[in-house]
Amino acid sequence: MEQLQPTNLADLKQKIANGKYMLFFSADWCPDCTVIKPALPEIVANHPEYTFLAVDRDDNIDLAAELNIFGIPSFVAFENGEEIGRYVDKERKTQAQVENFIDSLN
């Protein structure tokens, strides 16, 4: 999974203009993020149609605010630069919940 460098919404939109992307917002201090991180390699492997981008919420605080990411861990899906779905709240997420969210987008 690629780590997204600090960016803004305009530059992000350029990066994700073509194809399907899944943004994973998290932070090092977030205990619920730590719980889902070990499952991410399998989630990524199970969904090769998406390019996964890890977004450090603290390094991208303005981007998170622009995208209304107020709870982490959160997942936001894009296709050709347009948001197609989000799993955004402050609750702990299981691998099954994340995979069900991704599957619901197809």
Side-chain angles (χ1 to χ4, degrees):
M1 179 180 322
E2 179 185 341
Q3 180 70 44
L4 187 69
Q5 296 305 308
T7 191
N8 58 48
L9 188 56
D11 289 345
L12 174 66
K13 291 279 190 165
Q14 279 188 321
K15 180 175 182 65
I16 64 173
N18 297 301
K20 294 174 101 172
Y21 288 84
M22 185 66 63
L23 276 60
F24 167 60
F25 285 85
S26 67
D28 290 340
W29 51 264
C30 166
D32 292 336
C33 301
T34 304
V35 169
I36 194 64
K37 279 185 181 178
L40 286 174
E42 188 172 345
I43 293 170
V44 170
N46 290 342
H47 299 281
E49 68 275 22
Y50 286 93
T51 299
F52 283 75
L53 300 174
V55 184
D56 185 298
R57 202 254 0 207
D58 293 342
D59 290 344
N60 287 283
I61 194 76
D62 293 336
L63 176 65
E66 287 182 274
L67 291 173
N68 295 312
I69 308 296
F70 296 113
I72 52 175
S74 289
F75 294 82
V76 183
F78 289 86
E79 185 169 4
N80 299 325
E82 298 298 319
E83 184 177 325
I84 59 170
R86 58 176 43 218
Y87 189 13
V88 175
D89 60 34
K90 60 185 178 197
E91 301 300 319
R92 180 171 287 179
K93 294 162 183 65
T94 66
Q95 179 174 346
Q97 289 171 319
V98 172
E99 299 225 36
N100 287 339
F101 159 68
I102 297 170
D103 292 340
S104 75
L105 301 172
N106 299 325

